Amino acid sequence: MLTKTLLATILTLFLTTVGFAADPAKAPSASAPTASQAVPQGTAPQAAQPAPAASAAKQAVPAAAPATQTKVKPNRAITITMFMAIIGITLCVVVWAAKQTTSAADFYAAGGGITGLQNGWAIAGDYMSAASFLGMSGLISLYGIDGFMYAVGPMFSFIAILLVVAEPCRNAGKFTLGDILSFRASPKPVRAVAALSTVTVSLFYLIAQMVGAGKLMQVLLDIPYRVSVIGVGVLMVGYVVFGGMKATTWVQIIKAALLMSGTVLLAFLVMAKAGMNPFRLFTDIVNNQLIQDHIRLNVLKDALPKPGFDYGQRFLEPGLFLKNPLDQISLGIAWALGAAGLPHILMRFFTVPNAKEARKSIVVALFINSTFFFLINLIGFGAALYLTPQLISSVDKGGNMATLLLAQKLGGGAGSLGGDLFLAFICAVAFATILAVVSGLVLAASAAIAHDVYVNIIKNGKADQQEQVRVARITSLFVGIAAIVMGLAAEKENVVALVALAFAVAASGNFPAVMLSLFWKKFNTAGTISALLVGTISALALVMISPVMTYPQKIADDARKMIVTLEKKQAEGAVLAEKDLKTLEKARADFAKNDGGTSMVGLKAAIFPLKNPGIVSAPLGLLAAIFGTLLFRDRRAEDMFDEIEVRQITGLGIAKASDH
Amino acid sequence: MDAQTYDWGKIARNPKYLELKRRKRVFLFGWWIASSIYYFLLPTLSGYFPDLFRIKLMGVINFGYLFILSQFVVAFFVAIYYTKVANNVFDRLTEELVAEIQ
């Protein structure tokens, strides 16, 4: 059978790439990777930005500095065995799913045969990304409570989904965002714009994930960046092309189960070490000398302690990482509304048979996710106490390796069998996490192209099942290849902006469009198109001129400051350490390269002050929707409101995914 | 698609339907808005009133930490309460309405 041959090819390809990489002699220049951006920016739009405080750390190392480490070193044999086990299990799932995927409904919605419980685990699997697993605990371990505050947004976003999005969408939709939006509008233009928006959002998110995945695998397996991107990409394409939604769902369920087991175990070990007493854990943190030094020297940069200031307690107070309250509110808007407008999340509601199961799946996902984020807080604080922030930031400035280091330590320490096993397991969990998230994104983007553009626009909805599935598979293949190519091209790019952008576009364009088409009688084609266009373009434009972009002039200015400081030291007669000399050399090179340079859109500095555009772009999208609607009234759309409203409220005439 | 077609306009004027729609709307949007206000209190209070978050309540544990935990509790509460109401009230009213139409 064709499917099997292709699966075998994929497996061989992957094994050879890993095998190739496993031999360092053959691997092309596996230069020491910098891990500061290693974590895929999944659920936390800014969670893994390079830590601002790290450079000062070097100048003032506390007297009682703990042993530092520069790299996480997983045991290669054990780690690769565990990765292979995950690949093996998931490929079995794909073979099983491929046999059952014969219609478009099977491909896009797993034939509606997923239960609420399963779908809940899959949604949780879609949501809990490596950014939260690695990045959030790292942030907590370096900046305390601010990192924990990040966790509330993703958890709370489920409330909007549960109350106003999931059930109505399940009742009124079929496979894609375009299906919901085109219900009572002119189908072709609306589907075209919806598809464009879906592909944009999914690809932004996907590229950020691919780059993060590449960098993470590079660190964990010590393989070249492109090998890891291609490896992850090939697997992802394999899951989606052959197994469609069914395989994607089960990969996500497996991943969520692995991730939860790893998290529960780690948090349990942290608590066991603290005598199962949370008060003791936090009291120990506040009284820990190294944490106090870290806060004082690295974060607050007080060379001499302020008399009477409790630096340990400061760790449990906000404002060490999150500086701009308006930016936090803006990020909150992106969470509260954006998550509900993400196409790959919307698509998950159509895999269950009815609204009741959709409701159940969101409640299950909410419970799993909140438990996860709560445990991450224990892991993060545990990492601060048992590893020390100094060690964590010496391995990675942004703290992204905290979870992995903690696993190694609590398993028995570096080099011990327990430590190696636990670290390898946690690495494998991170790997499964990446695979599950990227697969869902590829599926959502392909569904928009194949179902909305090809079947409904080009073919006027007249395509038989076989053709629909064939087109969907070919589209997924191309979307996957595009993601790999863009992931390879974006290795050195700043991808943080892309995730903020995906959420902002979803919150400003998709969310108002979906809500108004379900709840506002007058809403019509013009309103839908203006919401999607204005929401997307304003979010895009604001991010382009925001501080998340790279500004060469700023890098040059920072480099100049460093040069001035070090040269002054030299002039005073001090002999610079080798490390400082290197820093000076690098600063000079940075200055020469970046001085006078401008950002992608030709700016020397950011114009828009916030990293997250939501607070401006979401109201703009909503206003555009309202103006567009009122300027071009459409009787037909208003007449059809009764139908969509009755459908969404009662579930009458619900699209049965199994109908052919 | 279901072979059966409905007279959507007629259903939309059915008193049972109007009752269901009203109750759902009040409940869903009411709780959505209320929980969103609670959620946005977090960035607002922590950003503009950081001193509030510093107040120690239980040993070293301060108001800020407990407030973050309370967000989890509120989300759990809304989810459980909504599930109860939906299972007991909305689903029952929907079934009654669908039975009357078919």
Side-chain angles (χ1 to χ4, degrees):
Chain A
M1 209 175 121
L2 182 70
T3 323
K4 274 194 185 151
T5 346
L6 282 170
L7 273 177
T9 325
I10 289 178
L11 188 59
T12 337
L13 216 108
F14 192 81
L15 290 175
T16 29
T17 47
V18 171
F20 168 68
D23 186 349
K26 276 194 264 168
S29 67
S31 56
T34 48
S36 62
Q37 271 199 344
V39 172
Q41 302 285 310
T43 60
Q46 327 169 300
Q49 283 180 37
S55 60
K58 289 181 189 114
Q59 290 155 13
V61 179
T68 51
Q69 191 175 336
T70 48
K71 253 179 134 178
V72 200
K73 275 212 158 48
N75 180 310
R76 218 156 165 168
I78 302 179
T79 312
I80 290 182
T81 313
M82 288 208 189
F83 276 45
M84 286 304 150
I86 288 179
I87 295 172
I89 294 168
T90 48
L91 285 184
C92 291
V93 168
V94 174
V95 172
W96 163 78
K99 283 184 191 148
Q100 302 182 15
T101 302
T102 53
S103 69
D106 292 334
F107 193 86
Y108 298 124
I114 304 287
T115 68
L117 182 67
Q118 291 164 349
N119 196 35
W121 277 89
I123 292 173
D126 230 336
Y127 239 65
M128 300 181 291
S129 68
S132 22
F133 186 50
L134 305 179
M136 212 173 270
S137 54
L139 268 186
I140 295 174
S141 72
L142 297 181
Y143 300 98
I145 200 171
D146 274 6
F148 190 23
M149 244 186 284
Y150 261 120
V152 178
M155 191 253 331
F156 219 89
S157 62
F158 279 109
I159 295 295
I161 299 179
L162 175 70
L163 294 178
V164 291
V165 178
E167 292 179 54
C169 283
R170 177 62 195 97
N171 279 337
K174 199 176 169 201
F175 301 143
T176 63
L177 178 70
D179 287 333
I180 302 170
L181 297 184
S182 66
F183 197 89
R184 58 196 172 103
S186 310
K188 286 192 179 183
V190 167
R191 274 188 196 274
V193 179
L196 193 66
S197 146
T198 301
V199 172
T200 312
V201 170
S202 305
L203 272 186
F204 282 166
Y205 208 124
L206 190 53
I207 294 167
Q209 293 283 335
M210 293 296 282
V211 173
K215 295 200 170 146
L216 185 66
M217 291 302 119
Q218 188 183 20
V219 175
L220 299 184
L221 292 180
D222 204 12
I223 56 177
Y225 176 80
R226 51 191 149 137
V227 174
S228 48
V229 168
I230 294 172
V232 168
V234 166
L235 281 169
M236 146 189 109
V237 169
Y239 296 155
V240 178
V241 169
F242 299 111
M245 180 53 106
K246 195 162 230 164
T248 304
T249 304
W250 280 99
V251 169
Q252 283 168 346
I253 294 174
I254 293 171
K255 162 266 178 92
L258 283 172
L259 186 57
M260 283 310 279
S261 344
T263 311
V264 168
L265 192 57
L266 259 177
F268 176 80
L269 291 175
V270 165
M271 288 319 288
K273 225 172 147 98
M276 288 297 159
N277 181 349
F279 294 104
R280 200 182 119 193
L281 178 72
F282 287 104
T283 312
D284 285 353
I285 286 171
V286 170
N287 295 328
N288 185 293
Q289 184 61 46
L290 289 167
I291 293 178
Q292 291 171 4
D293 286 347
H294 164 76
I295 300 296
R296 179 167 70 85
L297 296 167
N298 304 349
V299 184
L300 297 176
K301 299 185 185 129
D302 292 347
L304 293 169
K306 271 189 239 159
F309 192 84
D310 190 345
Y311 287 96
Q313 187 67 36
R314 187 68 187 83
F315 197 57
L316 300 183
E317 294 167 359
L320 291 179
F321 184 74
L322 309 172
K323 310 276 189 208
N324 185 344
L326 213 52
D327 223 346
Q328 297 327 303
I329 295 171
S330 194
L331 176 66
I333 292 174
W335 274 121
L337 311 179
L342 287 175
H344 67 285
I345 299 285
L346 278 178
M347 209 176 162
R348 290 230 55 91
F349 307 139
F350 305 124
T351 63
V352 291
N354 53 46
K356 200 179 161 113
E357 292 295 308
R359 178 193 313 150
K360 195 172 155 192
S361 50
I362 302 298
V363 174
V364 169
L366 171 77
F367 276 83
I368 298 171
N369 264 16
S370 339
T371 313
F372 172 76
F373 287 122
F374 175 72
L375 296 174
I376 283 292
N377 126 68
L378 297 178
I379 293 173
F381 280 112
L385 181 60
Y386 300 124
L387 295 173
T388 75
Q390 287 85 350
L391 175 84
I392 293 166
S393 55
S394 72
V395 177
D396 177 77
K397 276 199 284 180
N400 291 325
M401 297 295 134
T403 308
L404 300 168
L405 292 167
L406 187 67
Q408 191 176 37
K409 164 116 183 182
L410 297 180
S416 72
L417 180 65
D420 278 350
L421 272 176
F422 202 15
L423 175 58
F425 176 66
I426 298 295
C427 291
V429 167
F431 175 60
T433 294
I434 289 166
L435 290 179
V437 175
V438 290
S439 304
L441 292 167
V442 169
L443 190 60
S446 332
I449 298 172
H451 177 70
D452 287 322
V453 177
Y454 183 80
V455 174
N456 281 295
I457 297 180
I458 298 178
K459 288 290 202 170
N460 291 313
K462 294 180 196 81
D464 62 30
Q465 292 299 326
Q466 223 179 349
E467 187 185 359
Q468 288 195 32
V469 175
R470 193 168 50 85
V471 171
R473 288 195 157 133
I474 295 171
T475 314
S476 318
L477 181 67
F478 280 101
V479 170
I481 292 173
I484 295 174
V485 172
M486 288 190 263
L488 289 174
E491 177 179 1
K492 304 235 179 326
E493 300 302 320
N494 172 358
V495 291
V496 177
L498 288 179
V499 180
L501 202 52
F503 271 86
V505 168
S508 323
N510 301 0
F511 184 76
V514 169
M515 288 301 286
L516 294 176
S517 74
L518 290 170
F519 293 101
W520 190 28
K521 187 178 173 111
K522 292 188 180 124
F523 197 55
N524 55 29
T525 310
T528 313
I529 293 177
S530 19
L532 290 177
L533 288 183
V534 171
T536 308
I537 293 169
S538 63
L540 197 75
L542 289 172
V543 167
M544 292 294 240
I545 58 169
S546 80
V548 288
M549 300 299 286
T550 306
Y551 293 94
Q553 190 59 50
K554 195 176 169 298
I555 300 176
D557 290 346
D558 289 347
R560 189 167 49 207
K561 258 183 234 157
M562 182 65 79
I563 296 170
V564 170
T565 320
L566 290 174
E567 279 178 348
K568 206 173 135 203
K569 241 179 168 181
Q570 262 178 332
E572 283 162 2
V575 180
L576 293 183
E578 197 187 336
K579 203 174 75 185
D580 284 344
L581 281 173
K582 265 193 191 148
T583 315
L584 182 61
E585 206 177 297
K586 192 179 168 290
R588 282 188 178 133
D590 278 351
F591 180 75
K593 201 174 93 192
N594 291 305
D595 190 37
T598 52
S599 76
M600 216 153 90
V601 289
L603 292 175
K604 282 194 185 283
I607 298 176
F608 186 64
L610 305 178
K611 291 174 189 151
N612 300 286
I615 199 165
V616 176
S617 62
L620 280 181
L622 182 65
L623 283 178
I626 295 170
F627 276 120
T629 304
L630 296 179
L631 275 179
F632 303 93
R633 294 288 290 274
D634 177 359
R635 276 301 300 272
R636 181 178 158 273
E638 289 176 32
D639 290 345
M640 279 184 77
F641 181 67
D642 280 347
E643 177 174 353
I644 195 168
E645 195 191 46
V646 171
R647 277 175 186 265
Q648 68 98 339
I649 288 178
T650 62
L652 280 170
I654 187 171
K656 298 251 186 339
S658 52
D659 288 349
H660 288 183
Chain B
M1 198 64 29
D2 253 341
Q4 194 177 0
T5 50
Y6 301 93
D7 182 349
W8 303 106
K10 197 174 152 212
I11 302 172
R13 290 185 299 273
N14 184 313
K16 273 193 172 149
Y17 170 79
L18 291 171
E19 170 70 6
L20 173 66
K21 176 173 140 182
R22 191 188 61 79
R23 290 181 76 161
K24 261 191 148 170
R25 218 159 250 209
V26 170
F27 184 94
L28 297 177
F29 283 88
W31 279 101
W32 181 37
I33 292 165
S35 55
S36 298
I37 292 173
Y38 194 73
Y39 166 58
F40 280 103
L41 277 178
L42 179 65
T44 313
L45 291 180
S46 75
Y48 295 106
F49 306 95
D51 285 338
L52 178 69
F53 270 46
R54 298 199 171 117
I55 299 169
K56 286 198 249 179
L57 292 177
M58 298 155 83
V60 299
I61 306 273
N62 54 27
F63 174 82
Y65 191 83
L66 294 177
F67 190 67
I68 296 176
L69 285 187
S70 78
Q71 295 277 345
F72 285 74
V73 176
V74 168
F76 272 36
F77 168 77
V78 173
I80 294 171
Y81 182 55
Y82 169 62
T83 309
K84 263 207 140 91
V85 173
N87 287 346
N88 295 336
V89 182
F90 299 151
D91 285 356
R92 182 174 51 81
L93 290 176
T94 310
E95 275 161 30
E96 282 175 22
L97 175 69
V98 171
E100 189 183 300
I101 292 163
Q102 281 169 339

